[in-house]
Coordinates of all heavy atoms in Angstrom, one line a residue:
F124 N -33.7 7.6 1.3 CA -34.1 6.4 1.9 C -35.4 5.9 1.2 O -36.3 6.6 0.9 CB -34.4 6.7 3.4 CG -34.7 5.5 4.2 CD1 -33.7 4.5 4.5 CD2 -35.9 5.3 4.8 CE1 -34.0 3.4 5.3 CE2 -36.2 4.2 5.6 CZ -35.2 3.2 5.8
N171 N -27.1 7.5 0.3 CA -27.0 6.0 0.5 C -27.4 5.3 -0.8 O -28.4 5.6 -1.3 CB -28.1 5.7 1.6 CG -28.3 4.3 1.9 OD1 -27.4 3.5 1.6 ND2 -29.4 3.9 2.4
F199 N -26.8 10.0 8.3 CA -25.5 9.3 8.0 C -24.3 10.0 8.7 O -23.4 9.3 9.1 CB -25.2 9.3 6.5 CG -25.8 8.1 5.9 CD1 -27.2 7.8 6.0 CD2 -25.0 7.2 5.2 CE1 -27.7 6.6 5.5 CE2 -25.6 6.0 4.6 CZ -26.9 5.8 4.8
K221 N -30.6 4.9 13.9 CA -29.2 4.5 13.4 C -28.1 5.0 14.4 O -28.1 4.4 15.4 CB -29.1 5.2 12.0 CG -30.3 5.0 11.1 CD -30.5 3.6 10.7 CE -31.9 3.3 10.1 NZ -32.2 4.2 8.9
S344 N -23.0 -9.0 10.0 CA -24.4 -9.3 10.1 C -25.0 -9.0 8.7 O -24.9 -7.8 8.2 CB -25.1 -8.4 11.1 OG -24.5 -8.5 12.3
I345 N -25.7 -9.9 8.1 CA -26.4 -9.7 6.8 C -27.7 -9.1 7.2 O -28.7 -9.7 7.5 CB -26.6 -11.0 6.0 CG1 -25.2 -11.7 5.8 CG2 -27.3 -10.8 4.7 CD1 -25.3 -13.1 5.2
T346 N -27.8 -7.8 7.2 CA -29.0 -7.0 7.5 C -28.9 -5.7 6.8 O -27.8 -5.1 6.6 CB -29.2 -6.9 9.0 OG1 -30.3 -6.0 9.3 CG2 -27.9 -6.3 9.7
A347 N -30.1 -5.1 6.6 CA -30.1 -3.8 5.9 C -29.9 -2.6 6.8 O -29.8 -1.5 6.4 CB -31.4 -3.7 5.1
N348 N -29.9 -2.9 8.1 CA -29.8 -1.7 9.0 C -28.3 -1.2 9.0 O -27.4 -1.8 8.5 CB -30.2 -2.2 10.4 CG -30.5 -1.0 11.3 OD1 -30.8 0.1 10.9 ND2 -30.3 -1.2 12.6
L349 N -28.2 0.0 9.6 CA -26.8 0.6 9.7 C -26.7 1.4 11.0 O -27.7 1.6 11.6 CB -26.5 1.4 8.5 CG -27.5 2.5 8.1 CD1 -27.1 3.8 8.7 CD2 -27.6 2.7 6.6
G350 N -25.5 1.9 11.3 CA -25.3 2.7 12.5 C -25.3 1.9 13.7 O -25.7 2.4 14.8
T355 N -22.6 -4.3 9.5 CA -23.6 -4.9 8.7 C -23.2 -4.9 7.2 O -22.5 -4.1 6.8 CB -25.0 -4.2 8.9 OG1 -24.9 -2.9 8.3 CG2 -25.3 -4.1 10.4
I356 N -23.8 -5.9 6.5 CA -23.5 -6.0 5.0 C -24.7 -6.3 4.3 O -25.6 -7.1 4.8 CB -22.4 -7.1 4.8 CG1 -21.9 -7.1 3.3 CG2 -22.8 -8.5 5.3 CD1 -20.6 -7.9 3.1
T357 N -24.9 -5.6 3.2 CA -26.2 -5.9 2.4 C -25.9 -5.7 0.9 O -25.0 -5.1 0.5 CB -27.3 -4.9 2.9 OG1 -28.5 -5.3 2.4 CG2 -27.0 -3.5 2.5
H358 N -26.9 -6.3 0.2 CA -26.8 -6.2 -1.3 C -28.0 -5.2 -1.7 O -29.1 -5.7 -1.8 CB -27.1 -7.6 -1.9 CG -27.0 -7.7 -3.4 ND1 -28.1 -8.0 -4.2 CD2 -26.0 -7.4 -4.2 CE1 -27.7 -8.0 -5.4 NE2 -26.5 -7.6 -5.5
P359 N -27.7 -3.9 -1.9 CA -28.7 -2.9 -2.1 C -29.7 -3.3 -3.2 O -30.9 -3.1 -3.1 CB -28.0 -1.7 -2.4 CG -26.6 -1.8 -1.7 CD -26.3 -3.3 -1.9
T361 N -31.1 -5.9 -4.2 CA -32.2 -6.8 -3.9 C -32.8 -6.6 -2.5 O -33.6 -7.4 -2.0 CB -31.7 -8.3 -4.0 OG1 -30.5 -8.4 -3.2 CG2 -31.4 -8.7 -5.4
T362 N -32.3 -5.6 -1.8 CA -32.9 -5.3 -0.4 C -33.3 -3.9 -0.4 O -34.5 -3.6 -0.8 CB -31.8 -5.6 0.7 OG1 -30.7 -4.8 0.5 CG2 -31.4 -7.1 0.7
T363 N -32.5 -3.0 0.1 CA -32.9 -1.6 0.4 C -33.4 -0.9 -0.9 O -34.3 0.0 -0.8 CB -31.7 -0.8 0.9 OG1 -30.6 -0.9 0.0 CG2 -31.3 -1.2 2.3
H364 N -32.9 -1.2 -2.0 CA -33.3 -0.6 -3.3 C -34.0 -1.6 -4.3 O -34.1 -1.3 -5.4 CB -32.1 0.1 -4.0 CG -31.5 1.2 -3.2 ND1 -30.9 1.0 -2.0 CD2 -31.6 2.5 -3.3 CE1 -30.5 2.2 -1.5 NE2 -30.9 3.1 -2.3
R383 N -23.0 -3.0 0.2 CA -22.8 -1.9 1.1 C -22.4 -2.4 2.5 O -23.1 -3.4 3.0 CB -24.2 -1.1 1.3 CG -24.0 0.2 2.2 CD -25.3 0.8 2.5 NE -26.0 0.0 3.6 CZ -27.2 0.2 4.0 NH1 -28.0 1.1 3.4 NH2 -27.8 -0.6 4.9
A385 N -21.8 -1.2 6.4 CA -21.9 -0.2 7.5 C -21.0 -0.6 8.6 O -21.3 -1.6 9.3 CB -23.3 0.0 8.0

Side-chain angles (χ1 to χ4, degrees):
F124 187 66
N171 173 24
F199 273 55
K221 314 293 166 54
S344 310
I345 304 175
T346 172
N348 198 24
L349 56 93
T355 67
I356 186 164
T357 193
H358 183 244
T361 51
T362 60
T363 52
H364 295 70
R383 187 191 75 189

